[in-house]
Amino acid sequence: MCGIAGYLQFNGDAVSPVVLRRMGEAIAHRGPDGEGVFSDGPCGLVHRRLAIIDLSPAGHQPMATEDGRYVISYNGEVFNFQELRIELEALGWHFRSRTDSEVVLKAVVQWGTDALSRFNGQFAFAVWDRVARRLLLGRDRYGIKPVYVRRTGNALIFGSEIKAILRHPECRAEIDKEGLFEYLSFQNFFTERTLFKCVSILQAGSWMSVAENGETQTGCYWDFRFSEPDSASAASEAEYREELDRLLRQAVKRQLVADVELGTYLSGGMDSGTVTALAARELPYMRTFTCGFDLRSASGIELGMDEREKAEHMSYLYRTEHYQMVLKAGDMERVLPKLAWHLEEPRVGQSYPNFYVAQLASKFCKVVLSGDGGDELFAGYPWRYYRAVVNDDFEHYTDKYFQYWQRLLPADRIPHIFGPVWSEVSHVSTRDIFRGVFHEHAHHLTLPEDYINHSLYFEAKTFLHGLLTIEDKISMAHGLETRVPFLDNDLVDFACRVPVGLKLGNLGEVVRLDENEPGPKTAKYFQQTRDGKLLLRRVMERYVPADIADGVKKGFSAPDASWFRGDSIDYVRRRLMGRDACLFDYLDRAAIQSLIGDHLDGKENRRLLIWSLLSIEEWLRHLEAGAWTNP
């Protein structure tokens, strides 16, 4: 894993080595093991190296082909690189290193953009063709590794992180008010927008090719395809179980390749537990890491949020060297300035516990495996999908699911809440943004299973992508590579074909409720339960304790609802109710403080909103101080 950056001038001027080095310095934390700069007239590439495979100087980047025509700056791991190398050698290619970087470079030269479909891994890269005078940017299928771009009148500027782009002299750090509106509608970005004006993210599973005159081509080479199997390809439940078991073991084994220390996150849940169990079978010595919470001031459902005991039990079973840390309310306050700088833009969830556990893991390892992706592929959130099961048509489905995913703000109060900037954002249709996620995925919707598959597609494209983007920033802040075995290509392709009936257990009953009882449904189907991921649970029983495989779904989250109205109440009031709060340049003070007051008084649970507002406030203070643009 590494950091990449660079730019291409459209006016023919030569790039500045000073600017390139400044861009590299902005992301030095991503690659403490080496740096490199390449320039060829109007194009310049930067690389910061975190050495994982082939630690020798042969892996130095930017890396060129033997004839010097093609040059790559690459971030990631392609786990099938050894198979691709054999294929390329048969075509006449020779290799000077053991790195996957060289394989990726020569695969792109050999197959062009078709090479991206062959890569099984997590990656982002830039390849400059010195003869054709074209720059190619590419990103992995799922968006595990980000690439941000900004196009000015004279240049295309790109980087693994936005802060690298903002070191370019043509770039100013400004807020995108439409981006703020999108984020506070969904606690995420569903489009390519960011919070920074004119800075966008290259979509997952896509590429961009730019000529030195600015002519640009883009393409999408892969997308999720959740669908029910036809009768010819359907299999028995036992056959699905055995194939899932095989693919899980294969995925974990593939992702253990490294020339450095490797560990796993172990949260106490079944996804990370299974990854750890399978990794421990392959490696004689494993380290595991977890984060717990001091619950002395927690209440209600949040009393069950500390899973250290389960993690410790699994560590005992798998004989790992286990490390853990315990967070208190004040830890959020301490880390938020640093976290906001590294994240650059808030996305889904409350990410500061992840930042702390990545910091812990980085003290012992350079690579860590996570359990991300299991929920999104195998239907781990049934209480969300069940809200839009029986529908008249796709538009009806869109209305129902859109209403649920407006996570933060009461819809009827949005014009008032955005009062200070409403004239600048009122033209934005968040429903159209929501609907736009589906592109051409609004066909053949007749059965409840079809709508469930659409919900799975939506969450993989948005919620999972947000989690992956955050995890990249959080881990790379500490020079740590996070790998995601559930997002192995073969495993994902299989998961997309698994029948909904093998993922969810209560679908039929929810359909009957929806048909016969309009209005509010029976509450038990719309809260966290043991339903969901049924096929995965049956396979995981082979590797994790039964109480974990059959446990109620829990997210990895701190007891912030309790802390915000308890230990951290003074902090919330200072940051979000003080006269110097920056966010009220964009949001109505009285409306926002009324919503916060509802939480502090115990009337509503608005922990996600408060976290988002704290993140935005910290982001605005960084923006005002020039934190991302100043060396």
Side-chain angles (χ1 to χ4, degrees):
M1 288 300 164
C2 307
I4 67 172
Y7 67 104
L8 174 62
Q9 299 267 75
F10 301 148
N11 58 9
D13 290 349
V15 295
S16 165
V18 174
V19 171
L20 289 171
R21 292 199 178 278
R22 287 189 65 200
M23 294 174 72
E25 290 166 0
I27 53 173
H29 51 276
R30 296 183 69 93
D33 298 329
E35 61 178 323
V37 174
F38 164 84
S39 61
D40 174 32
C43 182
L45 304 178
V46 179
H47 189 263
R48 297 292 309 205
R49 187 183 186 195
L50 180 65
I52 303 295
I53 297 174
D54 189 350
L55 311 185
S56 74
H60 180 77
Q61 295 187 52
M63 177 184 291
T65 51
E66 287 84 350
D67 61 5
R69 174 173 175 176
Y70 299 93
V71 184
I72 191 171
S73 184
Y74 164 75
N75 166 32
E77 305 289 353
V78 169
F79 300 110
N80 63 332
F81 77 97
Q82 292 169 329
E83 295 95 319
L84 292 172
R85 175 171 173 154
I86 293 171
E87 193 173 349
L88 288 165
E89 286 174 333
L91 293 170
W93 288 95
H94 300 281
F95 291 85
R96 297 166 291 176
S97 73
R98 295 187 297 106
T99 65
D100 61 324
S101 310
E102 188 177 3
V103 174
V104 169
L105 170 61
K106 292 176 179 177
V108 169
V109 175
Q110 177 68 38
W111 297 304
T113 56
D114 289 342
L116 281 79
S117 299
R118 295 171 176 257
F119 298 153
N120 188 349
Q122 48 196 71
F123 58 86
F125 65 76
V127 173
W128 172 242
D129 183 338
R130 301 181 70 180
V131 175
R133 315 302 284 174
R134 292 195 74 92
L135 177 70
L136 175 67
L137 302 177
R139 193 175 179 211
D140 66 70
R141 287 183 173 196
Y142 318 109
I144 302 171
K145 295 283 104 180
V147 182
Y148 294 92
V149 296
R150 177 165 181 175
R151 193 181 185 108
T152 69
N154 296 318
L156 178 84
I157 309 160
F158 67 91
S160 295
E161 298 185 12
I162 297 171
K163 55 182 68 70
I165 294 174
L166 296 177
R167 292 291 178 90
H168 190 283
E170 289 190 24
C171 297
R172 293 178 55 198
E174 300 178 79
I175 188 171
D176 186 328
K177 295 172 186 174
E178 293 181 22
L180 177 66
F181 186 42
E182 182 175 342
Y183 170 71
L184 287 177
S185 295
F186 305 116
Q187 204 196 25
N188 201 358
F189 294 94
F190 292 174
T191 66
E192 71 280 359
R193 284 188 183 277
T194 70
L195 268 184
F196 290 91
K197 190 174 183 179
C198 299
V199 177
S200 59
I201 192 167
L202 185 66
Q203 297 279 33
S206 68
W207 54 266
M208 174 186 290
S209 177
V210 186
E212 64 179 347
N213 65 2
E215 178 265 321
T216 302
Q217 300 172 1
T218 60
C220 175
Y221 67 88
W222 187 86
D223 201 0
F224 290 96
R225 298 289 179 190
F226 289 95
S227 62
E228 292 296 284
D230 57 35
S231 56
S233 60
S236 69
E237 181 176 350
E239 290 172 314
Y240 277 110
R241 279 200 306 269
E242 294 310 310
E243 181 65 358
L244 176 54
D245 191 350
R246 182 186 73 83
L247 291 172
L248 271 172
R249 288 185 280 109
Q250 174 182 273
V252 172
K253 187 173 182 178
R254 274 178 179 163
Q255 298 202 11
L256 294 178
V257 58
D259 294 329
V260 295
E261 290 287 340
L262 184 148
T264 68
Y265 290 137
L266 186 56
S267 68
M270 59 181 172
D271 295 346
S272 65
T274 299
V275 169
T276 300
L278 293 174
R281 288 183 167 203
E282 301 292 333
L283 298 178
Y285 181 72
M286 282 283 298
R287 291 187 174 99
T288 50
F289 309 94
T290 194
C291 178
F293 308 102
D294 185 332
L295 300 178
R296 283 177 289 186
S297 60
S299 60
I301 193 173
E302 292 186 327
L303 287 170
M305 286 185 168
D306 185 9
E307 295 190 292
R308 280 177 292 158
E309 185 176 344
K310 292 180 179 179
E312 289 170 3
H313 179 53
M314 285 193 283
S315 171
Y316 164 75
L317 293 176
Y318 313 137
R319 300 185 178 184
T320 72
E321 182 179 313
H322 189 60
Y323 297 88
Q324 64 184 24
M325 64 186 309
V326 183
L327 297 186
K328 303 174 179 62
D331 291 315
M332 178 195 66
E333 305 169 27
R334 279 185 283 275
V335 81
L336 193 52
K338 183 189 296 185
L339 176 62
W341 186 84
H342 279 290
L343 284 183
E344 303 174 323
E345 46 167 356
R347 285 186 182 253
V348 295
Q350 293 149 287
S351 50
Y352 69 91
N354 309 67
F355 188 86
Y356 276 112
V357 75
Q359 178 177 272
L360 173 65
S362 70
K363 298 181 185 300
F364 302 93
C365 300
K366 291 182 76 171
V367 177
V368 67
L369 272 60
S370 85
D372 289 344
D375 288 315
E376 290 76 18
L377 292 175
F378 291 96
Y381 307 106
W383 61 92
R384 301 205 294 231
Y385 321 136
Y386 287 161
R387 296 173 187 273
V389 172
V390 177
N391 310 283
D392 297 334
D393 53 26
F394 178 67
E395 298 303 328
H396 186 207
Y397 162 82
T398 298
D399 286 337
K400 291 165 74 173
Y401 216 42
F402 167 69
Q403 184 178 15
Y404 172 74
W405 273 99
Q406 290 184 294
R407 292 161 64 89
L408 299 181
L409 301 172
D412 59 341
R413 298 163 70 177
I414 285 177
H416 184 200
I417 291 168
F418 283 91
V421 296
W422 185 242
S423 63
E424 300 173 73
V425 301
S426 60
H427 65 283
V428 177
S429 169
T430 50
R431 185 190 183 278
D432 287 349
I433 289 173
F434 184 95
R435 193 190 191 286
V437 171
F438 294 95
H439 299 295
E440 298 180 1
H441 295 263
H443 305 298
H444 311 297
L445 298 173
T446 55
L447 301 173
E449 289 84 355
D450 298 330
Y451 288 106
I452 295 292
N453 278 321
H454 272 60
S455 296
L456 292 174
Y457 174 83
F458 173 84
E459 299 213 9
K461 293 289 285 186
T462 60
F463 190 75
L464 177 59
H465 181 258
L467 293 174
L468 295 172
T469 303
I470 285 174
E471 181 57 38
D472 171 80
K473 304 285 186 64
I474 283 173
S475 60
M476 295 306 289
H478 305 291
L480 177 71
E481 171 181 316
T482 299
R483 296 180 179 178
V484 194
F486 275 104
L487 297 185
D488 173 86
N489 289 359
D490 294 335
L491 182 54
V492 171
D493 292 343
F494 168 81
C496 288
R497 300 190 304 268
V498 171
V500 167
L502 295 182
K503 296 178 179 179
L504 298 172
N506 293 326
L507 178 60
E509 191 163 347
V510 172
V511 169
R512 289 191 293 272
L513 284 171
D514 206 310
E515 290 173 338
N516 301 320
E517 297 182 25
K521 313 299 189 302
T522 304
K524 67 178 181 179
Y525 299 111
F526 300 94
Q527 59 190 1
Q528 296 180 359
T529 67
R530 291 179 175 83
D531 192 13
K533 295 164 65 173
L534 298 186
L535 181 70
L536 191 59
R537 288 175 186 267
R538 298 293 75 79
V539 173
M540 288 179 170
E541 287 173 345
R542 305 173 182 182
Y543 304 108
V544 301
D547 63 321
I548 293 175
D550 285 326
V552 173
K553 166 64 185 172
K554 294 180 181 179
F556 177 53
S557 179
D560 289 314
S562 301
W563 286 350
F564 287 154
R565 63 171 66 100
D567 291 351
S568 295
I569 191 169
D570 290 338
Y571 174 72
V572 171
R573 285 173 171 159
R574 280 198 316 274
R575 301 297 276 188
L576 302 182
M577 295 186 168
R579 292 181 176 274
D580 61 341
C582 299
L583 58 87
F584 298 123
D585 291 339
Y586 309 94
L587 305 175
D588 182 83
R589 181 183 294 270
I592 288 295
Q593 292 185 349
S594 175
L595 295 174
I596 296 170
D598 288 344
H599 181 93
L600 301 185
D601 294 340
K603 298 175 182 177
E604 299 283 349
N605 184 350
R606 300 199 187 278
R607 66 183 182 90
L608 293 179
L609 173 62
I610 292 175
W611 164 255
S612 297
L613 294 173
L614 289 169
S615 299
I616 292 293
E617 176 64 23
E618 197 64 50
W619 186 92
L620 289 168
R621 294 185 183 211
H622 281 339
L623 186 71
E624 189 175 276
W628 290 291
T629 54
N630 298 325

